[in-house]
Amino acid sequence: MCSLCILAYDIIDSLELLSEVFLTGQLVLNELIMKKLALFGCTCLLVAHSVKDTVNVNRYAGILFEDDDKKNKMAGKRKSAALLASRLLMAGLFFFVGLRQLNRVVARDFALFVHHPQSMYRDGHDNNWLLMEFILGVPLAIGYKSEWSARALAATLFLEAFTCWNFWAPDQFRPDHARSHFVTNMACGGGLLLLQAFGAGRYTVDAMLEAKKTQ
C-alpha cells in the first residue's frame, strides 16, 4: 500500500513536470528532471515486487548478493512487464544524460582548440560518470547481464553523488540544487539494487539466451 501511494505521487509529479516542459514551457528538460522521472521507474519496482509471482527473493541478502534459487525460476508476465517499464525509464535517464555529456565534451574540446576563456569552467553537471552511465544503460535496457549492469550502474550513481554533488561542502555552488541531484542519484541507485535483487524478468536478452540453452 505504501508503494502504491508513492507510485500515485510519482505519477502526479511526473505529469506536472512533463506539462511544465512540453505544454507551458516553464521548465527545460534537463538532467534533474530526467532523474525525477526515472524515480517513477524505481517506484514501479516496488509495486512489481508486490505482484504474486513465482520468483522468491531474499529481502535482505538478495539486495547485495545473488539468490541461487532465483536462477531456476522465471518472473510472470505482469511482473516482467513492470520490470521492463522500470528498466526502460531508468535507461532513458542514462541515455539522456550521456548524450548531454557527449555534447559538453565536444563543446569543451572545441573551446580549448580556439582558446576560449571559459573553456576550463566545469560544474557538477559536467562529469564523465555520465558517459559510464550512458554505456551501461544499453545492457540495462535490453536486459543483458542485467544483475551486473544494475550493480555497476548503482555504483556509478553513488560515486557521482559523492564526488560531484557533495552539497555539504562549504564551496559548493547552489547546495540546494546539488542536494536534489544527490538524493535522486541515491534513490535511483537504490532502485537498481532492487532490480538486481528481483531479476529483470522474462523480457530480456538474458531470458532469451537461457531459453535457447534449455531447448
Side-chain angles (χ1 to χ4, degrees):
M1 291 301 296
C2 289
S3 299
L4 289 173
C5 290
I6 296 172
L7 181 63
Y9 174 82
D10 282 347
I11 291 174
I12 295 171
D13 189 46
S14 298
L15 289 175
E16 288 179 352
L17 285 172
L18 291 174
S19 66
E20 290 177 354
V21 171
F22 296 107
L23 296 180
T24 65
Q26 294 178 354
L27 294 175
V28 177
L29 193 63
N30 56 31
E31 288 93 337
L32 185 56
I33 291 177
M34 286 298 296
K35 286 179 181 179
K36 289 183 177 181
L37 294 176
L39 288 179
F40 176 73
C42 298
T43 309
C44 288
L45 289 171
L46 293 174
V47 176
H49 187 46
S50 67
V51 176
K52 299 301 180 184
D53 207 277
T54 58
V55 176
N56 295 321
V57 179
N58 185 316
R59 287 175 173 79
Y60 301 101
I63 296 297
L64 296 177
F65 303 102
E66 208 172 285
D67 189 345
D68 292 333
D69 293 336
K70 184 179 62 178
K71 295 178 182 178
N72 301 320
K73 299 180 181 180
M74 178 62 68
K77 292 182 179 179
R78 289 183 300 169
K79 180 176 284 189
S80 295
L83 291 169
L84 174 62
S86 302
R87 293 198 336 263
L88 293 178
L89 282 168
M90 287 187 279
L93 159 68
F94 301 130
F95 294 150
F96 179 84
V97 297
L99 288 173
R100 291 288 293 269
Q101 182 61 15
L102 283 173
N103 290 334
R104 290 191 192 100
V105 170
V106 172
R108 187 168 63 246
D109 289 347
F110 178 76
L112 286 170
F113 178 74
V114 299
H115 304 290
H116 194 277
Q118 292 188 349
S119 60
M120 297 306 295
Y121 173 74
R122 300 177 69 175
D123 65 358
H125 299 89
D126 188 356
N127 70 84
N128 288 328
W129 294 118
L130 303 179
L131 299 180
M132 289 291 297
E133 293 165 11
F134 177 75
I135 295 170
L136 292 169
V138 176
L140 177 71
I142 65 176
Y144 179 70
K145 300 293 183 182
S146 304
E147 295 183 0
W148 289 106
S149 60
R151 291 174 186 174
L153 276 167
T156 305
L157 284 168
F158 295 152
L159 287 168
E160 181 196 345
F162 281 98
T163 58
C164 302
W165 303 112
N166 49 341
F167 62 90
W168 56 88
D171 59 343
Q172 177 63 253
F173 177 70
R174 291 192 61 191
D176 55 336
H177 183 71
R179 182 172 60 250
S180 295
H181 274 281
F182 181 89
V183 296
T184 49
N185 268 50
M186 298 299 287
C188 288
L192 286 162
L193 290 180
L194 288 175
L195 178 64
Q196 67 88 28
F198 298 160
R202 62 176 62 199
Y203 305 127
T204 61
V205 171
D206 289 338
M208 183 181 67
L209 295 175
E210 188 64 27
K212 286 185 177 180
K213 288 181 182 179
T214 57
Q215 288 177 353

